[in-house]
Amino acid sequence: MQLSEAVAGYLSHLSDVRRLSPATVRAYRADLADLILWVGDRPLGEVGVEDLREWQWQSAKSGQSKATAARRASTVRGLFAWAVEEELVGVDPARRLVSPKRGRTLPAVATTDALDDVLTAAAERAASGDAVALRDHALLEVLYGSGARVSEVCGLDLDDIDHDRRTLFLRGKGGKDRVVPFGLPAARALQAYLVRARPVLQARRVEASASLASGSRHDGRGSGSRIPAREAGAATRPHERAVFLGAKGSRLGPRAVHALVSRTVAPSVGADVLGPHALRHSAATHLLDGGADLRSVQEILGHASLGTTQIYTHVSAERLREAYRLAHPRA
């Protein structure tokens, strides 16, 4: 089997069997495409450890970070481990591949006071009754209040909210779903959005669809070009059930959430650009600071490994050291 054929099979395995996220599969695909470009599309069994080491060395010379180099090494090890399991090769050359040790970087975290200011300002904007402002306030409260990933919040449907228990059903990475709680401020902001703003945003999509249909009739396409009722319902259902809608009434996407967080939260941590993950980092750190145990935080965040959650204990330790340095007379 050629290397390219093996890569195609492995990527299908990652997507269909392991159910990794599309973004993760894209990263693996890019890494393996670069490997094929470097070693050539030769038979899989002819790729040796020296080829892989040379590929690593060339990548290191190009200035890639240790995290990227470690991911690429992990990608190749995964490919050949799968190939051995599928009996495509008898020997795994990637087992002898050494990946660089990743440097541990602490995530950007906003203080509770800073986030209180951000959310208070968002609530004041929402008080105007503007539909987008109401949505943004609810979105920020839900992101921080639940510790959810941006993809999970954007993927929320109306049936995923249990208002009585104040919980969200989240569709996590790799098909690992979970139920997480959210607080009273998020509940109030979410209710205000759903009652006062979401119908307004949804109406914009209905109006746009009606206008498009009218234009189609005037263009002379007539009823023959219309989508049958069943197909039309299937096409619009994802938007109709979405909790968070964009300004035009479609399901809100991660880019719009990223822009919102950068605009509203980034200044509070002194950053020029900040992604929605910063609210997730902040929620985890504040939970630990408030006395939550690590295992509970792991469950809320949906981490497969407790080791992934432990980075937040380092963030809290950094705060502890800073408090000690400022307050202790012999620090």
Side-chain angles (χ1 to χ4, degrees):
M1 176 177 284
Q2 295 295 108
L3 177 58
S4 60
E5 295 175 309
V7 165
Y10 179 55
L11 292 174
S12 295
H13 169 76
L14 295 179
S15 178
D16 301 335
V17 179
R18 292 185 56 190
R19 298 182 65 185
L20 298 186
S21 71
T24 301
V25 175
R26 281 197 300 271
Y28 278 41
R29 179 179 289 109
D31 291 341
L32 294 173
D34 188 68
L35 175 65
I36 295 172
L37 188 64
W38 176 255
V39 305
D41 190 15
R42 65 176 76 171
L44 185 65
E46 293 182 6
V47 179
V49 66
E50 293 304 323
D51 297 311
L52 301 179
R53 286 172 177 166
E54 183 65 21
W55 175 62
Q56 271 191 313
W57 172 243
Q58 292 298 326
S59 300
K61 289 200 301 183
S62 69
Q64 288 181 342
S65 68
K66 289 183 178 180
T68 299
R71 188 201 70 217
R72 286 160 68 92
S74 176
T75 299
V76 171
R77 279 197 295 269
L79 168 67
F80 281 95
W82 169 82
V84 169
E85 185 177 338
E86 294 293 316
E87 299 183 350
L88 302 178
V89 293
V91 179
D92 182 356
R95 290 184 62 183
R96 297 163 56 195
L97 202 61
V98 178
S99 59
K101 188 175 182 180
R102 299 189 188 193
R104 183 176 288 275
T105 57
L106 299 181
V109 173
T111 65
T112 53
D113 289 341
L115 280 178
D116 186 61
D117 291 342
V118 168
L119 294 171
T120 298
E124 291 172 352
R125 290 191 296 271
S128 68
D130 178 74
V132 172
L134 282 160
R135 181 206 65 196
D136 290 349
H137 179 216
L139 187 57
L140 291 171
E141 288 281 9
V142 168
L143 282 168
Y144 176 52
S146 67
R149 300 177 180 92
V150 62
S151 59
E152 294 168 344
V153 171
C154 290
L156 279 173
D157 287 338
L158 295 174
D159 296 338
D160 297 331
I161 306 174
D162 187 327
H163 295 278
D164 294 332
R165 294 183 175 86
R166 292 213 303 265
T167 59
L168 301 174
F169 176 79
L170 300 178
R171 296 168 181 82
K173 296 171 66 175
K176 297 174 183 176
D177 303 334
R178 67 190 188 282
V179 176
V180 301
F182 59 92
L184 187 58
R188 289 171 175 165
L190 193 55
Q191 185 66 19
Y193 160 71
L194 291 174
V195 173
R196 299 168 54 197
R198 189 182 178 281
V200 175
L201 298 176
Q202 188 176 33
R204 294 178 184 177
R205 177 173 176 79
V206 173
E207 292 170 3
S209 299
S211 177
L212 182 62
S214 176
S216 297
R217 287 194 296 272
H218 288 307
D219 286 343
R221 289 193 288 265
S223 58
S225 66
R226 295 179 188 176
I227 301 175
R230 172 182 285 181
E231 295 180 16
T236 58
R237 192 178 302 123
H239 300 289
E240 290 178 350
R241 304 304 301 162
V243 172
F244 291 105
L245 303 178
K248 296 182 180 180
S250 298
R251 185 183 292 272
L252 192 68
R255 288 187 181 180
V257 183
H258 193 291
L260 170 65
V261 173
S262 281
R263 186 173 67 251
T264 58
V265 184
S268 69
V269 297
D272 294 329
V273 179
L274 197 70
H277 233 59
L279 290 175
R280 179 172 162 87
H281 295 324
S282 300
T285 304
H286 298 164
L287 280 167
L288 289 170
D289 286 345
D293 65 276
L294 197 61
R295 183 69 69 180
S296 297
V297 176
Q298 178 194 6
E299 290 295 323
I300 290 172
L301 297 182
H303 286 158
S305 167
L306 191 62
T308 307
T309 315
Q310 284 177 332
I311 189 173
Y312 299 108
T313 63
H314 291 267
V315 177
S316 295
E318 285 292 316
R319 290 188 172 185
L320 185 62
R321 280 193 287 270
E322 180 65 13
Y324 176 86
R325 187 185 68 80
L326 294 174
H328 199 286
R330 298 186 70 83

